[in-house]
Each structure stands twice: as structure tokens, then as C-alpha cells.
Amino acid sequence: MFEFLSYLHDSELVARFQRRCGLFLVEAAHHGKTRVFTGHNVQGDKSRGELRERWATHDSDPPQKHEANGRKDAGGCRPNYEVRNWMLHFLFLISAGLGHEVFYITCLPCIHWNLDPFLCRRLINTWALVMYVGQVMKDLLKLPRPLSPPVVKLEPRVDAEYGMPSTHAMAATGISFTLLLSATSRFQFQFEVGLLVAMVLSSLVCLSRLYTGMHSVLDVICGALISAGIMFLTYPYWETFDHFQLKSPVSPVVSLVLPFVLSYTYPDLDHYSPTRGDTTTILGAASGSSVGYWVNQQLGQTFEPEGVLPVPLPTLRVESLGVCMIRFLLGGVLLVGTRQIMKTLSLKVLYSWYGVPQHDESARRRKEIEVPYKFVTYTSVGLVNSMLINRVFILLGL
């Protein structure tokens, strides 16, 4: 079993997938010459003992150190890459973007503003749950990402994070199938078509993590399976949680306190990693949205589709698309403005409280500053999204 898991976690397996898709690692050699890796003996001669040693030493080494072991060639030059299939290249880059936090923070509000707040709330709940579980597992397991060489790394900015499991795979699986299962009671559509769309989208995001060189096959498989397991265990209780979230008098307190405690007690590492901040961002947005949905329920303004459910899907017309675009732009401006204002104010208060110079950018990495400022900022963003923006649209006749 260990041999099989080592094979799935092998960097060469990822490199072979990249080469099959037309992505090749090119390293600068001495005297201006270049060398293209074709896969022969890059890592094939590595013994299982070496792989076992790599797994055994992951607890003490941060991800950056693992990268440093294989990022540069003998001449000290950073590897470059050659693309031989531009269609697949752009397909996987776009698919990878579908799994980023920025996409979800912009896409999920659009579902609230233009389709159904019920679906948006369900998706935010799933997103927050699977991402928290995935991020915590990463920092507890501490398994490294694929090595370069032989892998081409297209997103080096996330090298500071560990690899197992792939939270892109977890989020894509959870979001796609939560949308499918929740939409059946809200809109009229052919389930088989929705299932196909969910499978294609989640598969593209999973494969994109291999193409970008950021995860091993084992990372991706485990991410998808963990997300599927979470959905299987929680699905029977979705309606019960809906009732608690929208109608319980203690819902706002739980929605604010629990995510903040989970953010502040996030596992500490011996080096800085963006996972704690990213997790706080997600939990903060989910917390603010949850409180906003509760307030809307108490006020009797849920902004849900009119008519007997399930209703027909909205017809795509030029006029409706124009309204959606205006809502997207206006809503985006309001969310970005809220984020900027709350970030500035919370940082000023925290810097003053802890006696930190205002120009000290590195202080934002301290837990006592990073967690509160990000949680307050994105809780405010969630509140504005769920409570304010739809009312602005109504005032403007949108």
C-alpha cells in the first residue's frame, strides 16, 4: 500500500501528465544552451527508499525548503517551460482559476444577486466547511508539493503551503455537487445534464492542479474523496441546518463566535504560511453572510424566486444579461469598497492596540493581527453581500 501511495505522490507522475498535455520543463544550461526534459531518467531512477525518506522528513521542513531543493539548475538559473498545446494550456489555466478564492468570492455573490440567495447560502456553507477541513489537514499532514524539476510550476505563489489534500479539488467537488443537489428543489432542469456539468467542471479543476504542477495525483484524489465524504455525511442534515441558520435566535452568535474561534485556534506552524489567513478570509465571509441571511429572514425579505418551486430557469435575453452585468459591476464595487474601508480601519485599530508602527507590513503576519483584521474585514463583506446589495438594487430599479 505504501508503495502505491508513493507512486501516486511521485513528482514524475505529474511531470508525465504535463508532458502528455504539451507542457515541458526547459532549464538553462551553461554557455547559453537549453535543455528540455523529456521524462527519461528525471526521477525514474529514484528509489522508493528516497521517496520514503522524503515523506519521513516532511514534518521538519517547510514547503519552501522542499522547493529550494529542486527549483534551480546547477547554474543557478530558474527553470522555464515550453508550451506545445496552447488550447490545453489555456483550458487548464482557466479551470485552475475556477478553484481560487477570488473566483468564489466574486461568483457566489452573483448567484445571490441574480439567481437565488438560497443556493448562494448553501454553497457558502459547503465552501467554508470543506476549505476549513482541507486547510487544517494540509498543515497537520505537512506533505510537500511536487518537486521542480521534473515538474513545471505555474503557480509558485502558493509554494509556501503544503500539498495534501488539494483544496482546489475539495472546493470544486463540494461546490459543483452542492449546487446540483440543492438546485433540484429550486429550479426546473434535467438532472442528467446538471450531473454532467458538475462532473466536467470538478474534473477540469482537479486536472488543472496536475497541469499547473501544484499537486500530486494523490493530493487531488484525496481532496475529491474527502469532499465527497463530507457531503455524504452532512447531506441528511442540510435542511436541519437551514432551519437553525435562518430561524434560531442563537444563530447569529454561533455564526460569529465559532468561525472566529476556529480561525484563531488554527494550527500553528514553525514558519509563515498563507493558509491561516486564507482560512480566516473564507470563514469571515461565511460568518457575515450567515448573519445577513438570518437578518433577512427575520425581516421577511429573503429575495428568493417568485412562484411555486421549482421554478423555470430564467431565460437568457440581452436585457437580462445587461442587468446581470450592471449588478455584477455595482455589487463588485460595493464589496471591494467595503473590503478596503474595513481593512484600513481594522489594521489601524490593531496596530495602535499592539503598539506597532503603521508602516510595518510584516506585522500583518502576526496571528493576533492577521486573524482579527481579516475576520472583521470579510465578515463585513459577507454582511454587505447578503443584506445591503440586494436592497441597493431594488432602490435603483435593478
Side-chain angles (χ1 to χ4, degrees):
M1 176 59 72
F2 183 84
E3 297 293 319
F4 181 64
L5 294 179
S6 297
Y7 170 73
L8 293 179
H9 197 254
D10 195 347
S11 299
E12 177 58 26
L13 189 61
V14 178
R16 286 204 297 267
F17 176 79
Q18 290 181 319
R19 292 191 291 268
R20 290 272 183 169
C21 296
L23 184 64
F24 290 82
L25 181 66
V26 179
E27 283 200 327
H30 298 291
H31 309 298
K33 297 181 180 180
T34 60
R35 180 164 59 104
V36 179
F37 281 104
T38 59
H40 300 296
N41 298 323
V42 175
Q43 198 173 2
D45 295 333
K46 180 175 286 187
S47 67
R48 293 302 179 191
E50 288 178 288
L51 286 174
R52 192 182 298 269
E53 180 182 357
R54 185 183 175 207
W55 281 37
T57 58
H58 72 262
D59 282 329
S60 59
D61 292 344
Q64 298 98 321
K65 182 175 180 180
H66 287 285
E67 266 310 291
N69 290 337
R71 172 167 286 176
K72 296 184 179 182
D73 65 4
C77 299
R78 291 178 63 90
N80 204 344
Y81 59 89
E82 177 183 333
V83 178
R84 299 181 184 177
N85 190 325
W86 285 101
M87 184 179 71
L88 285 179
H89 184 72
F90 287 118
L91 173 64
F92 284 128
L93 289 186
I94 294 172
S95 300
L98 299 180
H100 289 309
E101 288 85 356
V102 174
F103 171 77
Y104 290 120
I105 290 175
T106 54
C107 175
L108 297 183
C110 286
I111 294 177
H112 174 100
W113 303 334
N114 299 299
L115 192 61
D116 186 2
F118 172 89
L119 293 180
C120 181
R121 180 173 54 81
R122 280 270 182 96
L123 295 177
I124 290 175
N125 292 339
T126 297
W127 180 48
L129 178 59
V130 300
M131 288 298 290
Y132 178 78
V133 171
Q135 297 283 62
V136 169
M137 288 187 68
K138 276 185 181 182
D139 288 341
L140 291 179
L141 295 174
K142 300 181 180 179
L143 290 177
R145 293 180 182 270
L147 295 176
S148 177
V151 171
V152 179
K153 295 218 168 181
L154 299 181
E155 296 180 5
R157 61 184 179 80
V158 297
D159 278 345
E161 301 179 15
Y162 290 106
M164 167 77 77
S166 168
T167 48
H168 273 69
M170 292 185 69
T173 302
I175 291 289
S176 298
F177 287 94
T178 296
L179 179 60
L180 173 66
L181 295 174
S182 299
T184 53
S185 63
R186 311 291 293 182
F187 294 95
Q188 300 171 15
F189 66 96
Q190 191 171 350
F191 183 82
E192 292 77 10
V193 174
L195 178 61
L196 178 62
V197 171
M199 292 179 65
V200 169
L201 288 178
S202 56
S203 297
L204 281 174
V205 174
C206 289
L207 291 175
S208 74
R209 304 318 290 158
L210 302 179
Y211 184 83
T212 56
M214 303 317 299
H215 285 286
S216 68
V217 175
L218 184 63
D219 297 343
V220 172
I221 292 176
C222 288
L225 290 179
I226 292 169
S227 190
I230 291 173
M231 292 186 63
F232 177 79
L233 293 175
T234 60
Y235 178 72
Y237 308 102
W238 283 4
E239 291 188 4
T240 302
F241 185 75
D242 288 341
H243 184 273
F244 171 81
Q245 188 176 30
L246 296 176
K247 298 183 179 180
S248 173
V250 300
S251 175
V253 178
V254 174
S255 297
L256 290 172
V257 174
L258 180 60
F260 182 78
V261 171
L262 291 176
S263 299
Y264 209 84
T265 57
Y266 188 86
D268 290 322
L269 298 174
D270 56 2
H271 65 281
Y272 178 77
S273 170
T275 50
R276 182 181 63 204
D278 292 344
T279 304
T280 303
T281 294
I282 295 168
L283 292 180
S287 175
S289 296
S290 181
V291 173
Y293 287 122
W294 182 86
V295 172
N296 289 341
Q297 183 73 26
Q298 308 314 304
L299 296 177
Q301 291 182 297
T302 56
F303 308 104
E304 296 188 357
E306 298 179 356
V308 180
L309 298 174
V311 299
L313 284 170
T315 304
L316 293 179
R317 300 191 304 268
V318 175
E319 180 182 356
S320 61
L321 290 175
V323 171
C324 289
M325 182 58 66
I326 295 174
R327 287 179 175 178
F328 172 74
L329 295 174
L330 179 58
V333 169
L334 291 174
L335 291 183
V336 171
T338 300
R339 173 187 175 275
Q340 192 60 36
I341 292 172
M342 296 308 300
K343 177 181 177 180
T344 302
L345 291 177
S346 58
L347 282 174
K348 283 187 176 181
V349 171
L350 289 166
Y351 273 36
S352 176
W353 179 267
Y354 288 105
V356 177
Q358 294 292 328
H359 61 273
D360 187 358
E361 295 285 337
S362 63
R364 298 184 185 185
R365 295 185 170 189
R366 291 166 50 179
K367 180 170 73 172
E368 63 271 21
I369 293 179
E370 181 181 48
V371 172
Y373 105 74
K374 288 201 170 186
F375 190 83
V376 168
T377 297
Y378 286 95
T379 297
S380 303
V381 170
L383 280 168
V384 170
N385 166 60
S386 55
M387 285 183 57
L388 178 63
I389 293 181
N390 269 92
R391 290 174 169 85
V392 172
F393 291 157
I394 292 174
L395 288 175
L396 298 177
L398 297 173

